[in-house]
């Protein structure tokens, strides 16, 4: 298992009456869902999506297609539940996460995204956003109409261009890549990035060693900085430092096997 440590925290924030964010942090799945829709529908949508991933928790051999299937199933479940009650009409959720999958015979990270929650990779000396937001604000940035910094306070910041609970089903973005020493990932709802600049997020992520402690501190900072939205952070660590009892790489020359020998 390439996930070696993890932690998670969530908070309703200071302005919202309900926390419509949900998460799961249970290997091999680390997922955040940010629900939308009034009358307790947003938290139902995000809960339904997370429940779909709950069935993958504790499973040893998860694949990319298992994960994508869970996204599709979550979309179908949300659609089916929303048709049962007019108060749930239009309920939906973002879904964003990192899963350890077996690809080409070995463990890899799979990052996937629908909506405007994010996955960040914390690297040596920098933080890198892996996901691309599916939001009107991101489209405005891409079109050069507003700056990335201004997009954090964009007045229609809440408008997402892809979400679960839609027909036709949204296409999830996905990235598959091998583990590297020092891997640290943050999965977060937009309530974090609304309040904290990436530089502030990076500063904490680079200095707080314990993943649960980091998740708690990031959420607390976002709430004290304004807490205008629900805020959720899941931290996932791979192998954090070179292990001393690692077996030496075997460099013994092997006899050459001549192929096509006649
Ligand atoms: Mn949000």
């Amino acid at each position: 298992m390439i996930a070696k440590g993890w932690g998670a925290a969530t908070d309703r924030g200071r302005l919202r009456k309900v926390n419509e964010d949900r998460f799961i942090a249970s290997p091999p799945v680390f997922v955040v869902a940010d629900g939308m829709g009034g009358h307790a529908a947003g938290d139902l949508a995000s809960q339904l999506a997370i429940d779909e991933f709950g069935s993958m928790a504790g499973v040893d051999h998860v694949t990319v297609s298992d994960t994508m299937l869970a996204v599709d199933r979550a979309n179908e479940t949300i659609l089916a539940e929303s048709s049962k009650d007019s108060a749930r009409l239009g309920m939906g959720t973002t879904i964003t996460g990192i899963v350890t999958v077996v690809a080409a015979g070995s463990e890899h990270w799979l990052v996937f995204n629908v909506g405007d929650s994010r996955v960040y990779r914390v690297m040596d000396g920098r933080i890198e956003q892996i996901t691309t937001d599916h939001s009107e604000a991101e489209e405005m940035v891409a079109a050069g109409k507003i700056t990335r910094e201004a997009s954090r306070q964009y007045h229609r910041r809440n408008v997402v261009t892809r979400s679960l609970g839609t027909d036709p089903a949204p296409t999830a973005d996905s990235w598959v890549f091998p583990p590297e020493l020092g891997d640290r990932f943050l999965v977060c709802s937009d309530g974090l990035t609304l309040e904290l600049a990436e530089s502030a997020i990076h500063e904490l992520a680079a200095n707080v060693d314990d993943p649960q402690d980091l998740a708690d501190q990031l959420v607390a900072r976002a709430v004290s900085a304004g807490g205008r939205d629900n805020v959720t952070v899941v931290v996932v660590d791979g192998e954090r430092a070179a292990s001393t009892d690692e077996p030496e790489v075997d460099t013994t020359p092997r006899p050459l096997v001549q192929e096509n020998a006649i």
Side-chain angles (χ1 to χ4, degrees):
M1 173 61 66
I2 55 178
K4 302 292 182 192
W6 52 89
T10 189
D11 197 285
R12 182 167 53 89
R14 293 173 153 186
L15 298 183
R16 301 291 176 91
K17 289 194 174 68
V18 180
N19 191 348
E20 297 185 324
D21 285 0
R22 293 290 187 275
F23 69 84
I24 181 169
S26 181
V29 288
F30 305 91
V31 180
V32 168
D34 178 348
M36 54 204 114
H39 299 287
D43 50 339
L44 175 62
S46 54
Q47 187 64 57
L48 289 169
I50 291 299
D51 286 349
E52 201 61 63
F53 284 89
S55 63
M56 286 163 61
V59 176
D60 268 345
H61 193 107
V62 165
T63 63
V64 174
S65 56
D66 292 337
T67 310
M68 293 307 144
L69 206 61
V71 173
D72 289 343
R73 281 210 204 95
N75 188 66
E76 283 166 25
T77 306
I78 293 165
L79 274 178
E81 288 299 317
S82 66
S83 68
K84 288 180 182 170
D85 181 344
S86 63
R88 297 175 182 171
L89 213 65
M91 75 174 179
T93 184
T94 71
I95 191 90
T96 306
I98 183 162
V99 177
T100 66
V101 295
V102 177
S106 66
E107 274 200 302
H108 286 67
W109 300 110
L110 162 66
V111 168
F112 67 95
N113 178 47
V114 176
D116 67 348
S117 298
R118 293 178 177 172
V119 177
Y120 285 99
R121 186 174 203 169
V122 182
M123 325 270 290
D124 264 348
R126 68 196 166 98
I127 187 166
E128 183 183 273
Q129 185 181 335
I130 297 177
T131 51
T132 304
D133 295 353
H134 302 137
S135 67
E136 194 176 282
E138 181 60 32
E139 290 179 356
M140 298 284 281
V141 172
K145 290 180 178 166
I146 56 172
T147 64
R148 184 156 300 286
E149 190 53 29
S151 71
R152 290 177 54 224
Q153 309 296 340
Y154 178 59
H155 68 290
R156 280 162 60 84
R157 168 196 90 73
N158 289 322
V159 179
V160 295
T161 51
R162 282 187 228 177
S163 59
L164 293 185
T166 58
D167 182 17
T171 304
D173 291 337
S174 62
W175 298 260
V176 178
F177 47 94
E180 280 177 39
L181 207 61
D183 276 334
R184 167 165 270 184
F185 300 94
L186 310 178
V187 189
C188 58
S189 63
D190 64 333
L192 179 74
T193 44
L194 173 65
E195 305 299 353
L196 298 184
E198 281 179 8
S199 55
I201 296 170
H202 179 235
E203 165 133 35
L204 272 179
N207 290 301
V208 178
D209 193 48
D210 180 68
Q212 182 60 51
D213 196 17
L214 175 59
D216 288 336
Q217 286 199 41
L218 283 168
V219 167
R221 282 276 294 275
V223 173
S224 64
R228 286 170 282 172
D229 194 2
N230 307 146
V231 51
T232 301
V233 176
V234 174
V235 179
V236 186
D237 284 343
E239 198 82 64
R240 294 292 291 157
S243 144
T244 48
D245 53 9
E246 200 78 355
E248 301 250 330
V249 175
D250 182 7
T251 54
T252 314
R254 291 176 209 166
L256 286 172
V257 176
Q258 192 176 355
E259 285 182 57
N260 304 320
I262 298 167

